């Protein structure tokens, strides 16, 4: 049976570090880190993610606001909201919860965020710096994956990492992050995706498999080799009439079968999801720090 990579425990460790660092930062600078989260529309999963971000801010000792905007908001009104947060000195980080309702251009929206406040690490400036190995805000879910690997003794250096999925918020940034010639990275990375006739040809070669496909339990035991380390990024709702809420949450990996042959595996829930919030907190403190430094010069 595989060792469980406990995202809850690791996220808690990181949050305790941030609480301490925030106390020192507030004392020495008199500045309270501030995060603004923008939620457009009423998608239930997004509402719950946004609520957990607000709660985490409170615990860290941050100032936070949540802008809840209607699904039919015009793009120019949304951009005006971001622009006003860009200019708000109490706000050091801005996150626009994705996906956005249809009709809003995600790229234009993200590009409107001040790169100095891009604590989500998804602005083209942050992604560009990530790709060429410069210090920047790291996208939260990829950074969470990297921390999970490093803190459990599964350093990716020299390993073959296979990422399944090529999204802009997980697949592409995590692949780029782990291939850098840097500590906690330096992996040989393959990105497999729906363009492959048979993804198992690639997943079977993985020392470390990162599943970010968005399909419930798509990775099964026959698709991986014994001793693989698995990070499951999927958060899928599947109908389950036996439960009061009518659904349960599963990952992109068939946990029951894969956990029998893997060396280590992150569960869903209790895995990557909690790490994403912890890394967002870390980036928000970093944004406040950088802002204070810029003000000094
Ligand atoms: N929706 C799901 N994951 C994320 C994320 O990491 N950032 C944003 N902005 N939206 C998301």
């Amino acid at each position: 049976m595989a060792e469980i990579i406990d995202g809850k425990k690791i996220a808690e460790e990181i949050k305790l570090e941030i609480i301490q660092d925030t106390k020192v930062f507030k004392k020495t600078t008199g500045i309270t880190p501030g995060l603004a989260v923008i939620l457009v529309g009423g998608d239930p999963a997004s509402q719950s993610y946004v609520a957990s971000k607000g709660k985490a801010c409170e615990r860290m000792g941050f100032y936070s606001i949540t802008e809840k905007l209607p699904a039919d908001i015009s793009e120019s009104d949304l951009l005006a909201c971001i622009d006003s947060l860009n200019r708000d000195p109490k706000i050091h980080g801005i996150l626009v919860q994705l996906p956005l309702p249809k009709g809003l251009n995600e790229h234009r929206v993200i590009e409107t965020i001040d790169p100095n406040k891009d604590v989500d690490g998804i602005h083209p400036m942050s992604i560009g710096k990530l790709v060429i190995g410069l210090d920047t805000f790291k996208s939260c879910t990829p950074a969470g994956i990297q921390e999970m690997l490093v803190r459990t003794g599964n350093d990716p250096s020299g390993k073959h990492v296979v990422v399944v999925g090529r999204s802009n918020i997980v697949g592409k940034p995590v692949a780029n992050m782990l291939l850098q010639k840097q500590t906690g990275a330096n992996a040989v990375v393959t990105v497999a995706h729906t363009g492959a006739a048979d993804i198992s040809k690639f997943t079977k070669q993985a020392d470390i498999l990162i599943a970010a496909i968005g399909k419930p339990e798509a990775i099964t035991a026959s698709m991986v080799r014994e001793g693989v380390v698995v990070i499951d990024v999927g958060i899928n709702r599947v109908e389950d009439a036996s439960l009061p809420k009518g659904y349960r949450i599963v990952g992109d990996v068939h946990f029951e079968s894969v956990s029998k042959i893997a060396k280590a595996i992150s569960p869903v829930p209790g895995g990557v999801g909690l790490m994403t919030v912890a890394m967002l907190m870390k980036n928000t403190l970093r944004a406040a720090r950088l802002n204070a430094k810029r003000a000094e010069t």
Side-chain angles (χ1 to χ4, degrees), residues 15-62:
K15 283 189 208 154
L16 292 175
E17 291 164 15
I18 299 167
I19 290 171
Q20 283 313 313
D21 292 351
T22 302
K23 271 189 198 147
V24 176
F25 175 74
K26 283 165 94 169
K27 210 167 171 183
T28 50
T29 63
I31 297 166
T32 301
L35 175 70
V37 177
I38 301 176
L39 173 64
V40 187
D43 175 70
S46 291
Q47 278 178 338
S48 111
Y49 299 148
V50 166
S52 69
K53 287 163 186 168
K55 261 191 224 149
C57 280
E58 206 176 301
R59 199 172 153 221
M60 298 304 107
F62 294 177

Side-chain angles (χ1 to χ4, degrees), residues 8-256:
K8 192 170 176 184
K9 186 169 146 243
I10 305 166
E12 183 61 22
E13 258 170 47
I14 294 170
K15 283 189 208 154
L16 292 175
E17 291 164 15
I18 299 167
I19 290 171
Q20 283 313 313
D21 292 351
T22 302
K23 271 189 198 147
V24 176
F25 175 74
K26 283 165 94 169
K27 210 167 171 183
T28 50
T29 63
I31 297 166
T32 301
L35 175 70
V37 177
I38 301 176
L39 173 64
V40 187
D43 175 70
S46 291
Q47 278 178 338
S48 111
Y49 299 148
V50 166
S52 69
K53 287 163 186 168
K55 261 191 224 149
C57 280
E58 206 176 301
R59 199 172 153 221
M60 298 304 107
F62 294 177
Y63 165 69
S64 84
I65 55 170
T66 303
E67 295 281 359
K68 291 188 178 165
L69 305 173
D72 62 355
I73 192 170
S74 69
E75 194 171 296
S76 61
D77 283 353
L78 175 55
L79 299 188
C81 172
I82 296 171
D83 194 45
S84 121
L85 293 166
N86 281 343
R87 285 181 283 104
D88 185 338
K90 293 202 295 298
I91 296 299
H92 307 104
I94 301 169
L95 178 142
V96 179
Q97 187 66 32
L98 302 174
L100 289 169
K102 284 202 176 68
L104 295 167
N105 183 316
E106 201 169 284
H107 297 295
R108 265 199 301 266
V109 169
I110 293 167
E111 279 176 41
T112 304
I113 299 170
D114 177 347
N116 290 319
K117 297 193 177 188
D118 177 36
V119 289
D120 211 10
I122 59 173
H123 188 286
M125 177 81 90
S126 308
I127 296 290
K129 284 185 170 179
L130 172 78
V131 170
I132 59 174
L134 295 178
D135 197 25
T136 187
F137 291 112
K138 287 181 173 176
S139 321
C140 300
T141 301
I145 294 167
Q146 186 177 36
E147 287 283 340
M148 287 173 103
L149 291 170
V150 171
R151 290 184 187 234
T152 54
N154 293 298
D155 195 308
S157 184
K159 297 282 169 17
H160 185 191
V161 173
V162 178
V163 178
V164 191
R166 54 178 156 179
S167 71
N168 289 336
I169 60 171
V170 184
K172 285 179 200 160
V174 80
N176 281 285
M177 200 177 285
L178 296 183
L179 65 77
Q180 297 302 324
K181 197 167 183 179
Q182 289 168 2
T183 50
N186 199 35
V188 174
V189 179
T190 298
V191 182
H193 48 70
T194 48
D198 174 13
I199 59 160
S200 72
K201 183 172 145 191
F202 304 100
T203 55
K204 276 179 190 160
Q205 297 177 35
D207 299 317
I208 297 172
L209 181 73
I210 298 172
I213 321 163
K215 262 201 193 154
E217 301 176 322
I219 304 287
T220 57
S222 65
M223 297 167 72
V224 297
R225 69 179 176 199
E226 211 172 322
V228 65
V229 173
V230 180
I231 302 291
D232 188 352
V233 188
I235 302 178
N236 307 290
R237 286 185 182 204
V238 294
E239 278 185 33
D240 187 338
S242 73
L243 296 174
K245 43 186 185 183
Y247 67 89
R248 68 197 157 87
I249 301 288
V250 300
D252 289 349
V253 177
H254 189 259
F255 184 87
E256 201 194 323

